[in-house]
Amino acid sequence: MQLNHYLNFKGDTEAAFNFYKSVFGGEFSALMHYGDMPAQEGVSLSDDDQQKIMHVSLPINECTVLMASDVNDQFCAQTNQPFTVGTNHYISINLDSSEQDKAKQLFDALSKGGSIEIPLDKTFWGALYGAFTDQFGIKWMVNCQLEN
């Protein structure tokens, strides 16, 4: 299991992560835009939103990966979570495919008494994923990679 920092930005993830890359060095291990997502019924993204970052990962060292995405108004409305600078941070729990039961256990235990933003479920990127705010106001993500 690995715990990482996951940041949200309102449109400037790419600029922020190019800056972090210049400071820490290295290369992005993942960089996906919202326009790369498969089409979803009822979801229509503007050309501007399609260019925004859906996910970026910058390995800092062998134990730490800094990750982020841009949020948009549609996402904020869906999750009922307004974007607020200073609270745009998650702790991301990352597990491998052999730890699916552990992912479910951690999601259920940590989210008890909190509010679930995205229920734990399979995703198009080949993972079991969910997000929530715990009873103490801490935001968490659980990502268990099912496919490599």
Side-chain angles (χ1 to χ4, degrees):
M1 176 174 30
Q2 188 178 42
L3 296 177
N4 291 304
H5 298 279
Y6 201 102
L7 308 173
N8 290 130
F9 295 90
K10 186 115 181 190
D12 53 357
T13 298
E14 191 165 2
F17 267 66
N18 282 326
F19 169 73
Y20 299 147
K21 188 168 113 172
S22 75
V23 172
F24 293 110
E27 295 298 324
F28 300 132
S29 59
L31 178 63
M32 296 181 286
H33 295 86
Y34 282 102
D36 299 332
M37 289 189 323
Q40 297 176 5
E41 189 175 322
V43 177
S44 176
L45 296 175
S46 68
D47 290 341
D48 186 47
D49 280 346
Q50 288 185 33
Q51 299 305 311
K52 290 180 180 174
I53 303 296
M54 185 184 92
H55 177 75
V56 61
S57 295
L58 178 63
I60 304 299
N61 59 40
E62 62 223 24
C63 300
T64 306
V65 179
L66 187 61
M67 299 180 284
S69 62
D70 283 314
V71 297
N72 56 40
D73 293 334
Q74 187 173 6
F75 175 82
C76 292
Q78 252 181 336
T79 60
N80 200 26
Q81 298 287 321
F83 177 84
T84 306
V85 173
T87 62
N88 51 328
H89 178 266
Y90 286 79
I91 299 172
S92 178
I93 301 172
N94 298 283
L95 304 124
D96 65 34
S97 61
S98 67
E99 300 177 292
Q100 291 178 49
D101 290 339
K102 181 79 170 176
K104 291 175 186 172
Q105 180 227 353
L106 287 169
F107 186 91
D108 291 344
L110 286 167
S111 66
K112 188 175 183 176
S115 63
I116 294 174
E117 294 172 30
I118 301 171
L120 189 67
D121 204 355
K122 291 182 181 175
T123 67
F124 71 86
W125 64 84
L128 192 60
Y129 173 82
F132 58 90
T133 302
D134 72 18
Q135 61 184 316
F136 301 104
I138 304 301
K139 293 175 171 284
W140 295 84
M141 297 175 167
V142 174
N143 190 82
C144 180
Q145 201 60 42
L146 302 175
E147 304 168 7
N148 290 325

